[in-house]
Amino acid sequence: MSEATAVESSKAVIEVRNLTKDRESFLRKPLRVLDGLSLKVEKGMTYGLVGPNGAGKTTTIKLLLGLLRADQGSIAVLGAPPGDKAALCKIGFLPESPYFYSHLTGREFLTFSGQLFGLSGKALNERIEQLLATVSLQKKADERTGRYSKGMLQRLGLAQALINDPELLFLDEPMSGLDPIGRMDMRRIIEDLKKGGKTVFFNSHLLPDVAALCERVGLLSGGKLLAEAAIEEISPQRDARALEEFFLKHIDTPAQEVAT
Ligand SMILES: Nc1ncnc2c1ncn2[C@@H]1O[C@H](COP(=O)(O)OP(=O)(O)OP(=O)(O)O)[C@@H](O)[C@H]1O
Ligand SMILES: [Mg+2]
């Protein structure tokens, strides 16, 4: 089993070639969760990875961040191998199930997150105020996160992901747990990030959001990239229904067991 190595790339912010990842199933049998995945994300692009539960979307993000090691293949993120410290300083990450220290307030958590990036003093305080406003959490900033609702935690998770003003953002199911206003806010924030030239890689089950936000969409199923296309090719009007049809066309829907 060889470790993933960096690949040279001039324009690509993310470049993945032939990535394979095996894990152990419940009965300790090897399970191939990613199988020959190759993809490329250019600077300033918003890339949406969609696919059924268990397709390997979260695994892909974890491999790109260096939180898991690949069994085969190569990965370069911001021109460096996954987990490279200098590259990580330019990356923001909103995990699928963010973890928060429940005894800290939202503001304290963001202070802690900022300090990990070497921020301090007035610059950090200003950044925190700005982010609390961006995610509409000012009124809850001094409450302990143990008392936050799921959507509030998701908003705090996004603020945390943005604390270092990253060039590249990984968002794993960013709309999860958000109410309709929260979802609109999240869309607006991602739009603003795009306008600011940031590169965004996100996993989502919500095809209307993917259609509205992404320049390129990859469809992952059973660890394989079944299809990839520019949103322009799927629907120049960014129509969610067209993306749904693209999804269904490429997914093998197994025969349903019929109860007799
Ligand atoms: N810690 C683990 N140990 C063993 N197998 C795992 C582990 N985590 C995930 N898997 C398996 O890896 C496969 C891919 O999981 P992954 O979490 O990447 O899917 P996903 O596409 O993000 O799904 P979802 O849409 O439900 O979030 C699944 O078969 C899952 O059971
Ligand atoms: Mg997932």
Side-chain angles (χ1 to χ4, degrees), residues 46-50 207 210-211 214-219 225 227-231 234 243 246:
T46 298
Y47 188 100
L49 193 61
V50 300
L207 299 182
V210 175
C214 294
E215 274 79 53
R216 204 159 178 82
V217 182
L219 173 54
L225 196 68
E228 201 191 41
I231 193 71
I234 301 168
L243 183 57
F246 171 83

Side-chain angles (χ1 to χ4, degrees), residues 21-26 31-34 49-62 68 96 172-173 203-205 220-223:
K21 177 69 187 167
D22 293 333
R23 304 208 80 165
E24 276 186 353
S25 72
F26 177 55
L31 178 70
R32 183 142 293 185
V33 296
L34 280 184
L49 193 61
V50 300
N53 292 127
K57 304 180 298 295
T58 296
T59 305
T60 302
I61 287 191
K62 287 182 178 172
L68 285 176
E96 190 171 36
D172 197 348
E173 307 288 347
N203 293 342
S204 183
H205 291 291
L220 194 67
S221 182

Side-chain angles (χ1 to χ4, degrees), residues 105-169:
T105 66
R107 191 189 303 280
E108 286 167 347
F109 177 74
L110 291 177
T111 304
F112 170 68
S113 306
Q115 285 167 345
L116 292 178
F117 284 102
L119 300 172
S120 62
K122 195 166 169 244
L124 177 56
N125 290 338
E126 282 176 5
R127 181 79 184 140
I128 290 172
E129 284 316 310
Q130 182 198 355
L131 287 171
L132 286 169
T134 303
V135 301
S136 309
L137 267 185
Q138 300 107 309
K139 287 185 187 157
K140 294 279 174 184
D142 296 310
E143 247 186 60
R144 291 181 179 201
T145 62
R147 292 189 184 178
Y148 279 25
S149 70
K150 184 168 182 344
M152 289 172 199
L153 291 174
Q154 194 71 0
R155 288 162 186 264
L156 184 62
L158 179 66
Q160 166 278 133
L162 296 173
I163 194 87
N164 56 329
D165 192 18
E167 279 176 34
L168 168 64
L169 267 155

Side-chain angles (χ1 to χ4, degrees), residues 175-194:
M175 316 294 179
S176 159
L178 294 177
D179 61 28
I181 295 175
R183 228 175 113 188
M184 282 192 302
D185 282 349
M186 183 66 83
R187 271 202 197 186
R188 175 186 46 78
I189 294 166
I190 297 176
E191 290 285 4
D192 287 347
L193 292 166
K194 288 173 63 163

